[in-house]
Amino acid sequence: MIPLRLGYGTNGLADLRLDDALALLADLGYDGVGLTLDHMHLDPLAPDLAVRTARLARRLDALGLTVTVETGARYVLDPRRKHGPSLLDPDPADRAARRELLTTAVRVAADLGAHAVHCFSGITPDDTDADTAWKRFEESLTPVLAAADAAGVPLAVEPEPGHLLSTLDDFHRLRRALGGPAPLGLTLDIGHCQCLEPLPPSDCVRAAAPWLRHVQIEDMRRGVHEHLPFGEGEIDFPPVLDALAATGYRGLTVVELPRHSHAGPGLARRSIEFLRAADAARAARRMNGAQT
């Protein structure tokens, strides 16, 4: 059983300077950080990115934190369109802008020694049929995967409710269409499993295990895509953590609360306390089962 390595997403600490956020997570006992490239935290479009990335790598090393690079910033490319442009947009220039951001994220991840780069498909544009959207997605992702392969950093695609690629079945459709390239992996969001997958979250973990490259975690309710603090949703976490530990997954399990930055420091503390307690309950449950 591989011990869980917990992280917290900087998109849930957007009111803190990045250095303050990292110091907080290290002090609380987190193993790492899910770093969303955004205007307030390692802006991928600002000058001297390589210099700033090298400085961050030294800081992470000094704090003993590992990192995953996430690319879900809402307005980093377009200040007026959430998550725009996407890899599905009709305009080739728009698709190229998103592709360049992902390629930049791969370079940053390699320089930071990150264990994965996270991304998602985006929402199918109006007046675009599903087959066309899938074709754009596959074609746009191909050069990003080539960059990830060259850098030795997995690209972990996240099924996102409401997006073209929204389920585990959709991930497998993409994987088959691209011929199962080695750099292509999966970001599994535990709350999203509760929200819309037919299987319970713990079964989703087991089903996803061969492709698991990044994990996000929070509470959620069935049929409602709202990231909730632990204890405010419906998920039974000890079985989920038990399934994660059994997969042999060695990356970070990152708390994902992007709408809670106003309470970020307190929630970061409560989240790690909750997950450590749930992990202890998982271990106790397993030990009791072994003794009976």
Side-chain angles (χ1 to χ4, degrees):
M1 302 286 284
I2 300 296
L4 294 174
R5 301 171 64 238
L6 299 178
Y8 200 93
T10 59
N11 59 2
L13 297 169
D15 294 308
L16 276 68
R17 297 177 183 86
L18 180 55
D19 194 64
D20 291 338
L22 298 177
L24 169 73
L25 298 181
D27 287 347
L28 290 173
Y30 281 94
D31 302 292
V33 58
L35 174 67
T36 295
L37 302 182
D38 208 344
H39 64 89
M40 79 294 284
H41 293 154
L42 198 65
D43 186 343
L45 305 184
D48 301 321
L49 179 59
V51 173
R52 291 182 286 119
T53 300
R55 186 184 307 127
L56 176 57
R58 292 191 294 271
R59 182 61 172 154
L60 289 167
D61 185 63
L63 292 171
L65 295 173
T66 57
V67 62
T68 303
V69 172
E70 302 194 353
T71 61
R74 294 185 181 94
Y75 296 101
V76 69
L77 290 179
D78 186 335
R80 301 188 180 194
R81 182 159 62 115
K82 182 181 176 183
H83 296 317
S86 82
L87 298 178
L88 312 181
D89 282 1
D91 188 340
D94 284 346
R95 298 199 298 275
R98 176 60 62 173
R99 189 168 61 244
E100 178 58 29
L101 175 66
L102 296 181
T103 304
T104 297
V106 168
R107 291 196 298 268
V108 168
D111 290 344
L112 293 177
H115 72 79
V117 171
H118 147 278
C119 69
F120 44 57
S121 67
I123 297 170
T124 303
D126 294 337
D127 301 322
T128 298
D129 64 83
D131 287 343
T132 298
W134 277 105
K135 182 179 179 181
R136 289 175 186 162
F137 187 41
E138 293 156 14
E139 290 177 349
S140 296
L141 212 57
T142 297
V144 182
L145 286 164
D149 193 26
V153 180
L155 187 70
V157 179
E158 178 188 10
E160 180 80 21
H163 284 211
L164 175 71
L165 195 156
S166 62
T167 66
L168 289 173
D169 283 347
D170 292 334
F171 168 76
H172 290 301
R173 171 177 175 164
L174 174 68
R175 184 177 58 81
R176 289 191 298 268
L178 295 175
L184 179 63
L186 174 71
T187 292
L188 188 70
D189 187 301
I190 301 303
H192 293 173
C193 296
Q194 177 69 20
C195 177
L196 85 170
E197 293 287 352
L199 296 173
S202 55
D203 287 345
C204 288
V205 170
R206 284 184 278 269
W211 302 278
L212 208 55
R213 301 296 180 266
H214 182 42
V215 175
Q216 297 171 341
I217 194 166
E218 70 285 314
D219 217 339
M220 205 168 286
R221 301 187 184 100
R222 184 70 179 169
V224 182
H225 184 204
E226 182 182 4
H227 292 236
L228 299 172
F230 297 111
E232 296 186 14
E234 301 169 340
I235 299 176
D236 182 13
F237 282 95
V240 173
L241 301 183
D242 198 49
L244 273 174
T247 66
Y249 169 68
R250 296 178 179 273
L252 290 172
T253 298
V254 173
V255 178
E256 184 79 358
L257 293 173
R259 296 184 181 272
H260 291 78
S261 284
H262 64 283
L267 277 173
R269 175 181 55 80
R270 292 195 292 276
S271 295
I272 196 168
E273 290 172 353
F274 179 95
L275 289 170
R276 293 300 187 204
D279 198 36
R282 169 200 71 79
R285 186 180 300 182
R286 175 168 283 273
M287 182 174 293
N288 290 337
Q291 291 174 348
T292 57

